[in-house]
Amino acid sequence: MQRKNLSYIDFIFRSGLYILITTLPLFSISAQERCAVPKILEERARNNPNLSTQQFENWLSSQQILQKVLSPLRTRKEKVTVPVVFHIIHNGEAIGTGGNLSKERIDRQLEILNEDFNRLNADTTETLDEFKALASSFDIEFIYAKQDPDGFETSGIVRIPGSLVDYSYQERSILTAESYWPAEDYLNIWVADLAGGSLGWAEFPISNLEGLEEASNNRLIDGVTIDYVFFGENPDSPTFESKGRTLTHEMGHFFGLRHIWGDGGCSVDDFCEDTPTARNSSTGCNLGKITCESLDMVQNFMDYTNDACMNIFTEDQKSRVRTVVENSPRRLSLTSSPALEAPPVYDVDLGLSEVNSRYTGSCSGNFNPQITVKNQGLLPIGNYSVQLFVNDILEESIIVEDTLNSGEEKTIYFSLLNFNEMGEYSIFYNVDLIGSFLDERTDNNQKIEYYQRIQQASLPYEKSFNNITPWIIRNPDEEESWQIFDVGLGVPFYGNRQNFGEREDIISPIFDFTTINVPELSFVFSQVGDSIPNNIKIYASYDCGRTFNDLIFSNSITDLSTAYPTDTVFIPEHRLDWDTVKIDLNRLKDEPSVCFSIVAENRLSNNFYINEFRVQESSKKNREIDIIRWEDVNPLVCNETLEGVITVKNVGRENIDSYEIQILENDNLVNEFTMNNEVLVPGQETQINLIIPVPSSNINEYEIQVITPSNDADIVNSLYLPFSNDCVEELPPLRLSLNENGRDNWYEFNPDKDAGWTFNPNLLAVNSNSSQINTKGSEDWLISPLLDVSRVNYLGLIFDISYRKPFRQSETFEIYISDEGGKYFKSLIYSKSGDSLATSLGNDIKEQLIWRNEFVDLSPYVFRNKIRLAFKIKHDNGQDVNLKNITFFVGQSPPPAYPNTLEPFVIYPNPVQNEINLHLNLEIAEEAFFQILDLNGKVMLEFIEPKILNQFISFDVSQLAAGVYILRLNTDRISATERFIVIK
């Protein structure tokens, strides 16, 4: 027998059919692929990129540990009861024939389930001696549900002709829709003819950790599904004799158990310590199987062995299952379900069934009210009336005189209602007996639903949410819901952590999309980055809010976390606490009636907020080429032509096969190109080499234009190339000066003409101004002077950096070194972004910056003789990057911290024997004259350094006799001396 979980789905191939399938070219399933878990998991990962089984396991482990520590004797020994409903989905056969199983077979399957889960199975005596001490009872009893969702008595068995002949796991939503009872109160077990060789599958329990977002959304398929052939006892089942253990196995998955080999091999665990590791699944019943240097537990219900071989669950499996039962919301709620108790039985009891939908609407304002009446009492009822109230005003009363026998029901149809005014209408139904009989139970005599006539709004549309009107809230659970806060529209999830999985809807006005060419929806949102963000989706309706079936946005694709987690209720305070999502609605442009439902699902996280909602003409054109960035830059030239590579991108919606590039200087055209050699599809980038004639002036700016032809006006996008004829060479050491009168020939390159790098003398730093630049991905450069490194063997770069990383945005800082004597910047020597760049974290702006010192060894590049460095910032509209103390020094390792002194240099060691070191720290680089003198003023050694700043200088003093000497330093600005002692 083969059983395999898909984390949520246990997809199992029926062995008999497997042999048949492998002979068919259509399927091409090899023996190694008889369980399609890898393919299904790949599909699941694509659809839910945040899904993480490991995170669920971490949560489950923490719950188990907590429970063992705090309450070892708590409900572990208390038996819990779970109500079961069997949905028998058949093909029209008589009861007891084919898939329409007999009640006796269903009864026996329920007995088997209870035997296996409580160690009452007759084959416990066959458990191997090695494992008998580990065997455990789960103390869980499964019973037939005693009342249905409407409060009527039930046998716990529902028989429904299916819409399909058989069902694959991909069609499980179709199968469960054939017959479904709320998964919070009923353990749904669907029994049908399963396609694809599947024996069955089960849904894993939901948790409150990141990675299982889809579990709550799957409440409509939550339960267990079994092929009718392997349901209960069936000696005629193929490959092995069914003894009802397929349901036992799948029920283990339903309560959180994994396969005992962990679906991975010896190194993969099933998170139960007392189940030995196994390399793979087992078939047949090889009791001596050893795969991971220990005896495999092939008799465990969570292996793939034959039914007759299975007979054990373990203590750790019990701990795992009971942890899930006592903590996972929909498993816990089963143990207190009203279905555990039979409904009260009265002689006279007339009640109303639930309405189909608590909320509805239509474009016309017409509504057809109807309600179903059921005689739930023992005696027949002959006369009763059903009333319809609209907003608490009696609209219509219908008297029925037909006899309604016990258990019978009748649907009552009222006159058509027309709601002309916009807004919400409560539709209230009530049933009363007529005559001398009194209804002995009245709590089932009223039902309510709501009709919402949604207001229309013109486009473009903008809502800032300082009030709700004309939006409409749908709040079926009458718990937390959308409301207005000081910061905008939100849901107070933080204070409502008991309502896991509940959905809160708010409905927009209706828009006519035929009045807009290219529609775009955008909203501004805020939410902390909890382990599981709240589930946010936006659906579109084309029938004025009656149905919302078109999912246009989901945060499983676009993360909506904007701020770091907090232990208190989250209220957005800072600019970076908010961000914007834009949704292209071009496919809706011909729809005359569209409204949106924003659905927030409670994931036990913090509050979620929206403060702007817009529907307007998209900024995205049908045809547009834009310049994205410079790939190579040489804005500093020495009498040569300017060259470079730019990247352009098709940012429109249509293919573009022709566009122009023009280069202008002082609005005069100096060069142009027609690009028609390739077709650019939407989103495609390409690189273009640019050669520009020798500039007519030493300092100026070129404008690079890319022109896209259009049926209307041509679309022109520009990038700017400021340049300077800068051939001045500097010698190291060198430090960036923040003196406004001169910056040592440092140069700012700002192709977008936005804020860019600026010098801040108050901070003694340069600032990227990323917080002011809205164009994400734009770049700015800070370029060093041309350095003559021909006279040094070693060269280092040190600088201090400060960057407070926000939660959502991430700036990138890179350093390039030039090739070809400072002409191009192609060699990347430093790159950090996000967390690796950060010196602190937070969306707020701190007054005191936190700095980190960085060192880059430039010695491998001194062979080039002349170099430049470019410091590039890539903006993300987050926080600013600050740099200070950018210094080139002569050396191969970062210098130690300079002593806390105002002196321009220090000497060490002192006394000295052979070699003395000078640690220099000047504010301005300049030429220096050094002398070593004895106490009589005799010059023992002297030399000139063409430029000093902050480097180390070593002197060989081994030839000096023992004694006291004086080191003298003279520059144009300073004169300083220091004594030192030579010892022998």
Side-chain angles (χ1 to χ4, degrees), residues 166-195:
D166 52 25
Y167 301 82
S168 67
Y169 76 92
Q170 296 99 330
E171 297 163 325
R172 61 191 183 280
S173 60
I174 300 175
L175 172 62
T176 58
E178 307 279 18
S179 180
Y180 170 82
W181 289 8
E184 294 78 14
D185 294 325
Y186 299 90
L187 199 172
N188 290 287
I189 299 177
W190 292 276
V191 185
D193 189 357
L194 303 185

PDB file of all heavy atoms in Angstrom, residues 166-195:
ATOM      1  N   ASP A 166     -15.419  10.432 -11.473  1.00  0.00           N
ATOM      2  CA  ASP A 166     -14.402  10.264 -10.445  1.00  0.00           C
ATOM      3  C   ASP A 166     -13.690  11.602 -10.251  1.00  0.00           C
ATOM      4  O   ASP A 166     -13.887  12.553 -11.019  1.00  0.00           O
ATOM      5  CB  ASP A 166     -13.413   9.143 -10.788  1.00  0.00           C
ATOM      6  CG  ASP A 166     -12.817   9.302 -12.184  1.00  0.00           C
ATOM      7  OD1 ASP A 166     -12.767  10.440 -12.703  1.00  0.00           O
ATOM      8  OD2 ASP A 166     -12.378   8.296 -12.768  1.00  0.00           O
ATOM      9  N   TYR A 167     -12.845  11.688  -9.213  1.00  0.00           N
ATOM     10  CA  TYR A 167     -12.253  12.963  -8.807  1.00  0.00           C
ATOM     11  C   TYR A 167     -10.758  12.779  -8.562  1.00  0.00           C
ATOM     12  O   TYR A 167     -10.338  11.859  -7.851  1.00  0.00           O
ATOM     13  CB  TYR A 167     -12.906  13.479  -7.519  1.00  0.00           C
ATOM     14  CG  TYR A 167     -14.399  13.686  -7.621  1.00  0.00           C
ATOM     15  CD1 TYR A 167     -15.283  12.616  -7.461  1.00  0.00           C
ATOM     16  CD2 TYR A 167     -14.927  14.949  -7.870  1.00  0.00           C
ATOM     17  CE1 TYR A 167     -16.652  12.802  -7.553  1.00  0.00           C
ATOM     18  CE2 TYR A 167     -16.301  15.148  -7.959  1.00  0.00           C
ATOM     19  CZ  TYR A 167     -17.158  14.069  -7.806  1.00  0.00           C
ATOM     20  OH  TYR A 167     -18.520  14.258  -7.894  1.00  0.00           O
ATOM     21  N   SER A 168      -9.969  13.680  -9.154  1.00  0.00           N
ATOM     22  CA  SER A 168      -8.547  13.701  -8.859  1.00  0.00           C
ATOM     23  C   SER A 168      -8.294  14.691  -7.723  1.00  0.00           C
ATOM     24  O   SER A 168      -9.181  15.474  -7.359  1.00  0.00           O
ATOM     25  CB  SER A 168      -7.747  14.112 -10.095  1.00  0.00           C
ATOM     26  OG  SER A 168      -8.007  15.472 -10.429  1.00  0.00           O
ATOM     27  N   TYR A 169      -7.067  14.682  -7.192  1.00  0.00           N
ATOM     28  CA  TYR A 169      -6.762  15.626  -6.111  1.00  0.00           C
ATOM     29  C   TYR A 169      -6.841  17.063  -6.608  1.00  0.00           C
ATOM     30  O   TYR A 169      -7.156  17.974  -5.847  1.00  0.00           O
ATOM     31  CB  TYR A 169      -5.377  15.338  -5.512  1.00  0.00           C
ATOM     32  CG  TYR A 169      -4.242  15.815  -6.372  1.00  0.00           C
ATOM     33  CD1 TYR A 169      -3.693  17.073  -6.192  1.00  0.00           C
ATOM     34  CD2 TYR A 169      -3.739  15.000  -7.373  1.00  0.00           C
ATOM     35  CE1 TYR A 169      -2.668  17.516  -6.997  1.00  0.00           C
ATOM     36  CE2 TYR A 169      -2.713  15.433  -8.184  1.00  0.00           C
ATOM     37  CZ  TYR A 169      -2.173  16.688  -7.990  1.00  0.00           C
ATOM     38  OH  TYR A 169      -1.159  17.121  -8.798  1.00  0.00           O
ATOM     39  N   GLN A 170      -6.589  17.285  -7.932  1.00  0.00           N
ATOM     40  CA  GLN A 170      -6.725  18.646  -8.465  1.00  0.00           C
ATOM     41  C   GLN A 170      -8.174  19.111  -8.459  1.00  0.00           C
ATOM     42  O   GLN A 170      -8.446  20.310  -8.515  1.00  0.00           O
ATOM     43  CB  GLN A 170      -6.177  18.720  -9.894  1.00  0.00           C
ATOM     44  CG  GLN A 170      -4.678  18.452 -10.010  1.00  0.00           C
ATOM     45  CD  GLN A 170      -4.393  17.025 -10.429  1.00  0.00           C
ATOM     46  OE1 GLN A 170      -5.174  16.118 -10.118  1.00  0.00           O
ATOM     47  NE2 GLN A 170      -3.295  16.812 -11.135  1.00  0.00           N
ATOM     48  N   GLU A 171      -9.101  18.148  -8.388  1.00  0.00           N
ATOM     49  CA  GLU A 171     -10.527  18.485  -8.412  1.00  0.00           C
ATOM     50  C   GLU A 171     -11.157  18.375  -7.028  1.00  0.00           C
ATOM     51  O   GLU A 171     -12.370  18.251  -6.886  1.00  0.00           O
ATOM     52  CB  GLU A 171     -11.253  17.545  -9.380  1.00  0.00           C
ATOM     53  CG  GLU A 171     -10.777  17.710 -10.816  1.00  0.00           C
ATOM     54  CD  GLU A 171     -11.169  16.542 -11.712  1.00  0.00           C
ATOM     55  OE1 GLU A 171     -11.196  15.393 -11.223  1.00  0.00           O
ATOM     56  OE2 GLU A 171     -11.430  16.777 -12.907  1.00  0.00           O
ATOM     57  N   ARG A 172     -10.323  18.450  -5.979  1.00  0.00           N
ATOM     58  CA  ARG A 172     -10.851  18.273  -4.627  1.00  0.00           C
ATOM     59  C   ARG A 172     -11.830  19.374  -4.251  1.00  0.00           C
ATOM     60  O   ARG A 172     -12.743  19.144  -3.459  1.00  0.00           O
ATOM     61  CB  ARG A 172      -9.716  18.169  -3.611  1.00  0.00           C
ATOM     62  CG  ARG A 172      -8.812  19.372  -3.521  1.00  0.00           C
ATOM     63  CD  ARG A 172      -7.579  19.007  -2.683  1.00  0.00           C
ATOM     64  NE  ARG A 172      -6.674  20.136  -2.490  1.00  0.00           N
ATOM     65  CZ  ARG A 172      -5.794  20.556  -3.389  1.00  0.00           C
ATOM     66  NH1 ARG A 172      -5.720  19.947  -4.565  1.00  0.00           N
ATOM     67  NH2 ARG A 172      -5.000  21.569  -3.135  1.00  0.00           N
ATOM     68  N   SER A 173     -11.660  20.586  -4.797  1.00  0.00           N
ATOM     69  CA  SER A 173     -12.621  21.645  -4.471  1.00  0.00           C
ATOM     70  C   SER A 173     -13.982  21.341  -5.079  1.00  0.00           C
ATOM     71  O   SER A 173     -15.017  21.708  -4.513  1.00  0.00           O
ATOM     72  CB  SER A 173     -12.106  23.000  -4.967  1.00  0.00           C
ATOM     73  OG  SER A 173     -11.913  22.986  -6.358  1.00  0.00           O
ATOM     74  N   ILE A 174     -13.998  20.675  -6.234  1.00  0.00           N
ATOM     75  CA  ILE A 174     -15.276  20.258  -6.828  1.00  0.00           C
ATOM     76  C   ILE A 174     -15.918  19.181  -5.976  1.00  0.00           C
ATOM     77  O   ILE A 174     -17.122  19.208  -5.686  1.00  0.00           O
ATOM     78  CB  ILE A 174     -15.056  19.758  -8.270  1.00  0.00           C
ATOM     79  CG1 ILE A 174     -14.455  20.865  -9.137  1.00  0.00           C
ATOM     80  CG2 ILE A 174     -16.360  19.237  -8.865  1.00  0.00           C
ATOM     81  CD1 ILE A 174     -14.106  20.421 -10.540  1.00  0.00           C
ATOM     82  N   LEU A 175     -15.091  18.226  -5.549  1.00  0.00           N
ATOM     83  CA  LEU A 175     -15.604  17.133  -4.727  1.00  0.00           C
ATOM     84  C   LEU A 175     -16.190  17.656  -3.426  1.00  0.00           C
ATOM     85  O   LEU A 175     -17.316  17.305  -3.051  1.00  0.00           O
ATOM     86  CB  LEU A 175     -14.476  16.132  -4.444  1.00  0.00           C
ATOM     87  CG  LEU A 175     -14.785  15.028  -3.432  1.00  0.00           C
ATOM     88  CD1 LEU A 175     -15.931  14.148  -3.923  1.00  0.00           C
ATOM     89  CD2 LEU A 175     -13.546  14.180  -3.160  1.00  0.00           C
ATOM     90  N   THR A 176     -15.471  18.492  -2.721  1.00  0.00           N
ATOM     91  CA  THR A 176     -15.954  18.957  -1.412  1.00  0.00           C
ATOM     92  C   THR A 176     -17.174  19.859  -1.557  1.00  0.00           C
ATOM     93  O   THR A 176     -17.996  19.937  -0.631  1.00  0.00           O
ATOM     94  CB  THR A 176     -14.836  19.688  -0.660  1.00  0.00           C
ATOM     95  OG1 THR A 176     -14.376  20.795  -1.443  1.00  0.00           O
ATOM     96  CG2 THR A 176     -13.660  18.760  -0.402  1.00  0.00           C
ATOM     97  N   ALA A 177     -17.286  20.531  -2.698  1.00  0.00           N
ATOM     98  CA  ALA A 177     -18.458  21.391  -2.915  1.00  0.00           C
ATOM     99  C   ALA A 177     -19.724  20.576  -3.150  1.00  0.00           C
ATOM    100  O   ALA A 177     -20.836  21.101  -3.014  1.00  0.00           O
ATOM    101  CB  ALA A 177     -18.214  22.327  -4.092  1.00  0.00           C
ATOM    102  N   GLU A 178     -19.582  19.306  -3.510  1.00  0.00           N
ATOM    103  CA  GLU A 178     -20.766  18.466  -3.698  1.00  0.00           C
ATOM    104  C   GLU A 178     -21.554  18.358  -2.383  1.00  0.00           C
ATOM    105  O   GLU A 178     -22.783  18.326  -2.375  1.00  0.00           O
ATOM    106  CB  GLU A 178     -20.344  17.058  -4.152  1.00  0.00           C
ATOM    107  CG  GLU A 178     -19.433  17.001  -5.368  1.00  0.00           C
ATOM    108  CD  GLU A 178     -20.169  17.134  -6.685  1.00  0.00           C
ATOM    109  OE1 GLU A 178     -21.329  17.605  -6.667  1.00  0.00           O
ATOM    110  OE2 GLU A 178     -19.597  16.768  -7.727  1.00  0.00           O
ATOM    111  N   SER A 179     -20.806  18.303  -1.278  1.00  0.00           N
ATOM    112  CA  SER A 179     -21.442  18.224   0.032  1.00  0.00           C
ATOM    113  C   SER A 179     -20.422  18.679   1.056  1.00  0.00           C
ATOM    114  O   SER A 179     -19.341  18.089   1.174  1.00  0.00           O
ATOM    115  CB  SER A 179     -21.897  16.786   0.321  1.00  0.00           C
ATOM    116  OG  SER A 179     -22.508  16.700   1.590  1.00  0.00           O
ATOM    117  N   TYR A 180     -20.756  19.720   1.804  1.00  0.00           N
ATOM    118  CA  TYR A 180     -19.802  20.292   2.752  1.00  0.00           C
ATOM    119  C   TYR A 180     -20.534  20.791   3.980  1.00  0.00           C
ATOM    120  O   TYR A 180     -21.579  21.428   3.876  1.00  0.00           O
ATOM    121  CB  TYR A 180     -19.041  21.455   2.104  1.00  0.00           C
ATOM    122  CG  TYR A 180     -18.215  22.257   3.087  1.00  0.00           C
ATOM    123  CD1 TYR A 180     -16.960  21.825   3.474  1.00  0.00           C
ATOM    124  CD2 TYR A 180     -18.701  23.441   3.631  1.00  0.00           C
ATOM    125  CE1 TYR A 180     -16.198  22.556   4.385  1.00  0.00           C
ATOM    126  CE2 TYR A 180     -17.957  24.177   4.538  1.00  0.00           C
ATOM    127  CZ  TYR A 180     -16.709  23.731   4.918  1.00  0.00           C
ATOM    128  OH  TYR A 180     -15.953  24.451   5.808  1.00  0.00           O
ATOM    129  N   TRP A 181     -19.988  20.457   5.156  1.00  0.00           N
ATOM    130  CA  TRP A 181     -20.464  21.012   6.412  1.00  0.00           C
ATOM    131  C   TRP A 181     -19.314  21.797   7.033  1.00  0.00           C
ATOM    132  O   TRP A 181     -18.144  21.439   6.826  1.00  0.00           O
ATOM    133  CB  TRP A 181     -20.947  19.908   7.351  1.00  0.00           C
ATOM    134  CG  TRP A 181     -22.238  19.270   6.895  1.00  0.00           C
ATOM    135  CD1 TRP A 181     -22.877  19.485   5.708  1.00  0.00           C
ATOM    136  CD2 TRP A 181     -23.025  18.322   7.604  1.00  0.00           C
ATOM    137  NE1 TRP A 181     -24.022  18.740   5.625  1.00  0.00           N
ATOM    138  CE2 TRP A 181     -24.141  17.998   6.785  1.00  0.00           C
ATOM    139  CE3 TRP A 181     -22.923  17.711   8.835  1.00  0.00           C
ATOM    140  CZ2 TRP A 181     -25.133  17.098   7.185  1.00  0.00           C
ATOM    141  CZ3 TRP A 181     -23.896  16.806   9.246  1.00  0.00           C
ATOM    142  CH2 TRP A 181     -24.992  16.511   8.432  1.00  0.00           C
ATOM    143  N   PRO A 182     -19.598  22.880   7.766  1.00  0.00           N
ATOM    144  CA  PRO A 182     -18.529  23.759   8.267  1.00  0.00           C
ATOM    145  C   PRO A 182     -17.421  22.991   8.987  1.00  0.00           C
ATOM    146  O   PRO A 182     -17.677  22.253   9.945  1.00  0.00           O
ATOM    147  CB  PRO A 182     -19.274  24.708   9.209  1.00  0.00           C
ATOM    148  CG  PRO A 182     -20.669  24.738   8.671  1.00  0.00           C
ATOM    149  CD  PRO A 182     -20.938  23.355   8.175  1.00  0.00           C
ATOM    150  N   ALA A 183     -16.201  23.181   8.526  1.00  0.00           N
ATOM    151  CA  ALA A 183     -15.067  22.408   9.031  1.00  0.00           C
ATOM    152  C   ALA A 183     -14.724  22.765  10.473  1.00  0.00           C
ATOM    153  O   ALA A 183     -13.966  22.042  11.118  1.00  0.00           O
ATOM    154  CB  ALA A 183     -13.854  22.625   8.129  1.00  0.00           C
ATOM    155  N   GLU A 184     -15.225  23.888  10.985  1.00  0.00           N
ATOM    156  CA  GLU A 184     -14.978  24.231  12.383  1.00  0.00           C
ATOM    157  C   GLU A 184     -15.737  23.297  13.325  1.00  0.00           C
ATOM    158  O   GLU A 184     -15.317  23.083  14.468  1.00  0.00           O
ATOM    159  CB  GLU A 184     -15.403  25.673  12.665  1.00  0.00           C
ATOM    160  CG  GLU A 184     -14.571  26.728  11.946  1.00  0.00           C
ATOM    161  CD  GLU A 184     -14.934  26.887  10.481  1.00  0.00           C
ATOM    162  OE1 GLU A 184     -16.000  26.370  10.063  1.00  0.00           O
ATOM    163  OE2 GLU A 184     -14.164  27.522   9.761  1.00  0.00           O
ATOM    164  N   ASP A 185     -16.874  22.740  12.858  1.00  0.00           N
ATOM    165  CA  ASP A 185     -17.742  21.941  13.722  1.00  0.00           C
ATOM    166  C   ASP A 185     -17.848  20.485  13.303  1.00  0.00           C
ATOM    167  O   ASP A 185     -18.391  19.673  14.067  1.00  0.00           O
ATOM    168  CB  ASP A 185     -19.148  22.548  13.742  1.00  0.00           C
ATOM    169  CG  ASP A 185     -19.178  23.914  14.404  1.00  0.00           C
ATOM    170  OD1 ASP A 185     -18.411  24.118  15.358  1.00  0.00           O
ATOM    171  OD2 ASP A 185     -19.945  24.778  13.954  1.00  0.00           O
ATOM    172  N   TYR A 186     -17.354  20.146  12.094  1.00  0.00           N
ATOM    173  CA  TYR A 186     -17.506  18.784  11.598  1.00  0.00           C
ATOM    174  C   TYR A 186     -16.207  18.307  10.960  1.00  0.00           C
ATOM    175  O   TYR A 186     -15.555  19.055  10.214  1.00  0.00           O
ATOM    176  CB  TYR A 186     -18.625  18.715  10.546  1.00  0.00           C
ATOM    177  CG  TYR A 186     -19.978  19.113  11.059  1.00  0.00           C
ATOM    178  CD1 TYR A 186     -20.393  20.445  11.003  1.00  0.00           C
ATOM    179  CD2 TYR A 186     -20.844  18.174  11.614  1.00  0.00           C
ATOM    180  CE1 TYR A 186     -21.629  20.832  11.493  1.00  0.00           C
ATOM    181  CE2 TYR A 186     -22.089  18.553  12.101  1.00  0.00           C
ATOM    182  CZ  TYR A 186     -22.473  19.887  12.039  1.00  0.00           C
ATOM    183  OH  TYR A 186     -23.700  20.252  12.515  1.00  0.00           O
ATOM    184  N   LEU A 187     -15.844  17.050  11.271  1.00  0.00           N
ATOM    185  CA  LEU A 187     -14.740  16.411  10.566  1.00  0.00           C
ATOM    186  C   LEU A 187     -15.329  15.799   9.303  1.00  0.00           C
ATOM    187  O   LEU A 187     -15.973  14.751   9.339  1.00  0.00           O
ATOM    188  CB  LEU A 187     -14.081  15.349  11.444  1.00  0.00           C
ATOM    189  CG  LEU A 187     -12.674  14.894  11.070  1.00  0.00           C
ATOM    190  CD1 LEU A 187     -12.105  13.981  12.151  1.00  0.00           C
ATOM    191  CD2 LEU A 187     -12.581  14.227   9.728  1.00  0.00           C
ATOM    192  N   ASN A 188     -15.112  16.506   8.178  1.00  0.00           N
ATOM    193  CA  ASN A 188     -15.668  16.043   6.908  1.00  0.00           C
ATOM    194  C   ASN A 188     -14.827  14.894   6.358  1.00  0.00           C
ATOM    195  O   ASN A 188     -13.603  15.017   6.226  1.00  0.00           O
ATOM    196  CB  ASN A 188     -15.668  17.189   5.891  1.00  0.00           C
ATOM    197  CG  ASN A 188     -16.670  18.267   6.235  1.00  0.00           C
ATOM    198  OD1 ASN A 188     -17.874  18.077   6.095  1.00  0.00           O
ATOM    199  ND2 ASN A 188     -16.165  19.414   6.688  1.00  0.00           N
ATOM    200  N   ILE A 189     -15.493  13.794   6.025  1.00  0.00           N
ATOM    201  CA  ILE A 189     -14.821  12.678   5.351  1.00  0.00           C
ATOM    202  C   ILE A 189     -15.585  12.410   4.062  1.00  0.00           C
ATOM    203  O   ILE A 189     -16.758  12.009   4.085  1.00  0.00           O
ATOM    204  CB  ILE A 189     -14.788  11.419   6.230  1.00  0.00           C
ATOM    205  CG1 ILE A 189     -14.023  11.696   7.528  1.00  0.00           C
ATOM    206  CG2 ILE A 189     -14.134  10.257   5.478  1.00  0.00           C
ATOM    207  CD1 ILE A 189     -14.007  10.522   8.506  1.00  0.00           C
ATOM    208  N   TRP A 190     -14.908  12.680   2.941  1.00  0.00           N
ATOM    209  CA  TRP A 190     -15.524  12.457   1.642  1.00  0.00           C
ATOM    210  C   TRP A 190     -15.091  11.093   1.109  1.00  0.00           C
ATOM    211  O   TRP A 190     -13.890  10.762   1.102  1.00  0.00           O
ATOM    212  CB  TRP A 190     -15.107  13.544   0.661  1.00  0.00           C
ATOM    213  CG  TRP A 190     -15.666  14.902   0.996  1.00  0.00           C
ATOM    214  CD1 TRP A 190     -16.895  15.389   0.673  1.00  0.00           C
ATOM    215  CD2 TRP A 190     -15.004  15.935   1.740  1.00  0.00           C
ATOM    216  NE1 TRP A 190     -17.052  16.666   1.155  1.00  0.00           N
ATOM    217  CE2 TRP A 190     -15.907  17.031   1.823  1.00  0.00           C
ATOM    218  CE3 TRP A 190     -13.756  16.056   2.329  1.00  0.00           C
ATOM    219  CZ2 TRP A 190     -15.589  18.224   2.472  1.00  0.00           C
ATOM    220  CZ3 TRP A 190     -13.438  17.236   2.988  1.00  0.00           C
ATOM    221  CH2 TRP A 190     -14.340  18.300   3.054  1.00  0.00           C
ATOM    222  N   VAL A 191     -16.067  10.312   0.665  1.00  0.00           N
ATOM    223  CA  VAL A 191     -15.815   8.974   0.131  1.00  0.00           C
ATOM    224  C   VAL A 191     -16.320   8.963  -1.302  1.00  0.00           C
ATOM    225  O   VAL A 191     -17.511   9.192  -1.545  1.00  0.00           O
ATOM    226  CB  VAL A 191     -16.514   7.888   0.973  1.00  0.00           C
ATOM    227  CG1 VAL A 191     -16.131   6.498   0.474  1.00  0.00           C
ATOM    228  CG2 VAL A 191     -16.153   8.039   2.453  1.00  0.00           C
ATOM    229  N   ALA A 192     -15.422   8.711  -2.254  1.00  0.00           N
ATOM    230  CA  ALA A 192     -15.803   8.792  -3.665  1.00  0.00           C
ATOM    231  C   ALA A 192     -14.875   7.904  -4.488  1.00  0.00           C
ATOM    232  O   ALA A 192     -13.927   7.304  -3.966  1.00  0.00           O
ATOM    233  CB  ALA A 192     -15.728  10.241  -4.151  1.00  0.00           C
ATOM    234  N   ASP A 193     -15.158   7.829  -5.761  1.00  0.00           N
ATOM    235  CA  ASP A 193     -14.265   7.149  -6.703  1.00  0.00           C
ATOM    236  C   ASP A 193     -13.176   8.149  -7.079  1.00  0.00           C
ATOM    237  O   ASP A 193     -13.459   9.176  -7.700  1.00  0.00           O
ATOM    238  CB  ASP A 193     -15.065   6.709  -7.941  1.00  0.00           C
ATOM    239  CG  ASP A 193     -14.254   5.798  -8.852  1.00  0.00           C
ATOM    240  OD1 ASP A 193     -13.065   5.557  -8.542  1.00  0.00           O
ATOM    241  OD2 ASP A 193     -14.788   5.340  -9.873  1.00  0.00           O
ATOM    242  N   LEU A 194     -11.942   7.880  -6.698  1.00  0.00           N
ATOM    243  CA  LEU A 194     -10.842   8.815  -6.907  1.00  0.00           C
ATOM    244  C   LEU A 194     -10.046   8.442  -8.147  1.00  0.00           C
ATOM    245  O   LEU A 194      -9.758   7.262  -8.380  1.00  0.00           O
ATOM    246  CB  LEU A 194      -9.930   8.869  -5.683  1.00  0.00           C
ATOM    247  CG  LEU A 194     -10.614   9.241  -4.367  1.00  0.00           C
ATOM    248  CD1 LEU A 194      -9.591   9.378  -3.254  1.00  0.00           C
ATOM    249  CD2 LEU A 194     -11.427  10.528  -4.514  1.00  0.00           C
ATOM    250  N   ALA A 195      -9.720   9.437  -8.927  1.00  0.00           N
ATOM    251  CA  ALA A 195      -9.016   9.223 -10.190  1.00  0.00           C
ATOM    252  C   ALA A 195      -7.509   9.267  -9.980  1.00  0.00           C
ATOM    253  O   ALA A 195      -7.010   9.686  -8.944  1.00  0.00           O
ATOM    254  CB  ALA A 195      -9.432  10.297 -11.201  1.00  0.00           C
TER     255      ALA A 195
END
